[in-house]
Amino acid sequence: MSNNYRQQYKDWCEKADAITRQELLSIAQDDNEIKERFYKDLEFGTAGLRGILGAGTNRMNVYTVRRATQGLADCILQKGAETSGRGVAIAYDCRHFSEEFAREAACVLAANGIPVYLYSEMQPTPALSFAVRHLGTAAGIMITASHNPANYNGYKVYGEDGAQMNVEDSATVLSFIEKTDMFTGAKTMDAEEARENGLLHIIDEDVLAPYLDAVKGCVLDKELIEKASDSLHVVYTPFHGTGYKPVMRALREVGFSQVFPVPEQAIKDPNFSTVSSPNPEDPAGFAMAIRLAEEKDADIIIGTDPDSDRIGVLCKTDAGYQVLNGNQTGVLLMEYVLSQKKKQGLKAQDYVVSTIVSTNMVEPIAKAYGVKLYQVYTGFKFIAGIIKEHEMHPDGGSYLFGFEESFGYLPGSYARDKDAVAAALLICEVAAFYKEQGMTLADAVTALQKKYGFFMEYTDSVYMEGIDGMERMQKLLSSVAKNPFRMIGTTAVVAFRNYNEGLRYDYKTGAQEKLDMPPSNVLYFELEGGGFFILRPSGTEPKIKLYFSTAQKSAEESSSQLDSLRKAAKELLA
């Protein structure tokens, strides 16, 4: 921990603007609060910045945003005039200060002579990823904290391929950030001056329309949608965020006419007043949507997070509206995409992508359709990396579908981040497909389990907040890595993968083999019967994520083993 947090606090009180000084003076007697705000700089990594809003080096504010943007500008400028002349695309979500941070970033880039293409209003993260590729910019910035609580915001940086910035460039940006003084290091200029000098361009329908055309291009059976137009009833909640306009527009334009938005949650609200968490992974957020669905007799409910890159799904059953987890939605979409693409002909080089923490049901599905499967680390930048690799080789096969268990899906290669707008269309198409056969999406999940195996998954988290949170997380992971589990409850571990070391240890044969992936702080326990238990630190929050998977001969056996694993793991980690 830095010992100069008090000096940092003093500097900010002297050098910051009047409103920031007022905020800082209000905590003058609270040493713990001062320490928490100033004991470190907000960390910049491949996910950019993310943190609590407020004054301080460990907070999201105009100073940390300007400093990060100057670091990005320096990284771009060192690549030469051709690169810097291509500019940077910027988008922002509905959160507190999102638009202000976007404009601050634009003004810093413009002051460095780098053209900026800024969306005129809040837009989804995938629309930013698309804009980078469509406009051919050198980079992109998305101001969002995704589904974090209302007091957070973030700053995500994208590379020229439309994916989140790679490790090498992120390290370069960080090196420049560290050389930039918080108050005097960032250049800036007035927004109006930037526009007059041709450095700030406002983008709108000219980019949004092509993006939505690409999204609508992911529809696989237009005739099916035409038939289901009036019969499929959909309730949609954007959780007060960016999804409302593009999702409603895309669904309407492809032909879904019976779509009912939740009125209270269609309003932009940076406080997310109607939900405890704007996260589609949290079923509690769908309470209003369920009431509307019951009123409209809706077949499905869909909900997108504030920056509309993740989507949650509920479906009508005899017992009420059932939540689908991210893995269930993922395999439903994958199976449907492959079944439709098979009609046009699939090649052995064609491929799907998932993550190592997502359901292993992807393996028998890919095998059944004779396509390649890639399983990568968590984070859509890794899925984007597989797409990029294949595009560099003419015989590399076609990208078919990719997903991660945390409610992220991408049915096309027009963007390089998960896209809840496109996923909304595909989910509705899949629901229409099964409804035509007299089945709900819950029925479809059961049918897939009977076809491929009773895979069941569960994700949990161990939170480690506070100044020593990261230290405690690393200590726990290091302890488990040194003494890996051989049993988790009554389930035997058959192999252990230490991705930090890049080695797999086979407990049955005693053999060691190298893992063909770069080092990452992930501990993976292969379980007897085909399931897994995985530990990994979150990239955006102070917590360790726990992933459980079972694969048994019946739903009852899988569910029972899952409960047993969860209980045993908590005891082991305690």
Side-chain angles (χ1 to χ4, degrees), residues 506-526:
D506 190 313
Y507 288 160
K508 287 190 174 179
T509 65
Q512 292 183 23
E513 60 180 288
K514 286 188 177 181
L515 296 166
D516 187 23
M517 291 174 79
S520 185
N521 201 3
V522 179
L523 306 177
Y524 189 119
F525 297 89
E526 298 176 26

Side-chain angles (χ1 to χ4, degrees), residues 147 239 279-284 286 310 312 323 405-407 459 545:
H147 55 279
F239 289 120
N279 187 350
E281 293 183 73
D282 181 3
F286 286 93
R310 299 172 191 257
V323 177
E405 49 71 44
S406 53
F407 291 58
T459 305
K545 297 195 79 171

Side-chain angles (χ1 to χ4, degrees), residues 343-494:
K343 296 173 184 176
Q344 304 157 19
L346 290 169
K347 302 190 299 290
Q349 303 99 307
D350 294 342
Y351 63 99
V352 290
V353 195
S354 187
T355 68
I356 60 170
V357 301
S358 300
T359 177
N360 281 341
M361 189 187 279
V362 293
E363 295 175 7
I365 293 176
K367 186 177 179 182
Y369 287 95
V371 297
K372 284 187 177 179
L373 167 67
Y374 295 89
Q375 289 174 292
V376 297
Y377 288 132
T378 303
F380 242 81
K381 60 180 174 283
F382 297 110
I383 293 176
I386 297 291
I387 301 173
K388 187 176 182 178
E389 276 180 36
H390 280 262
E391 285 186 344
M392 292 167 69
H393 301 92
D395 61 344
S398 298
Y399 170 77
L400 300 169
F401 185 70
F403 83 93
E404 55 186 9
E405 49 71 44
S406 53
F407 291 58
Y409 315 96
L410 181 65
S413 59
Y414 57 88
R416 296 299 159 86
D417 209 341
K418 49 195 174 288
D419 188 353
V421 184
L425 267 62
L426 188 55
I427 288 161
C428 290
E429 183 177 345
V430 172
F433 172 78
Y434 284 109
K435 185 171 184 179
E436 195 176 49
Q437 299 172 57
M439 296 169 68
T440 67
L441 290 183
D443 296 330
V445 168
T446 301
L448 288 187
Q449 289 176 327
K450 288 177 179 175
K451 184 177 180 180
Y452 295 115
F454 288 88
F455 293 85
M456 288 190 184
E457 294 77 29
Y458 185 80
T459 305
D460 207 347
S461 298
V462 176
Y463 282 85
M464 296 190 173
E465 294 174 327
I467 289 170
D468 64 342
M470 288 299 295
E471 187 182 335
R472 285 184 289 129
M473 282 167 60
Q474 295 306 324
K475 192 174 179 182
L476 174 59
L477 288 165
S478 177
S479 173
V480 175
K482 287 175 184 173
N483 301 286
F485 309 131
R486 292 297 187 110
M487 295 285 295
I488 300 174
T490 57
T491 303
V493 175
V494 296

Side-chain angles (χ1 to χ4, degrees), residues 233-249:
H233 287 210
V234 181
V235 162
Y236 168 55
T237 172
F239 289 120
H240 303 288
T242 61
Y244 178 59
K245 286 185 180 180
V247 170
M248 291 298 294
R249 176 176 166 182

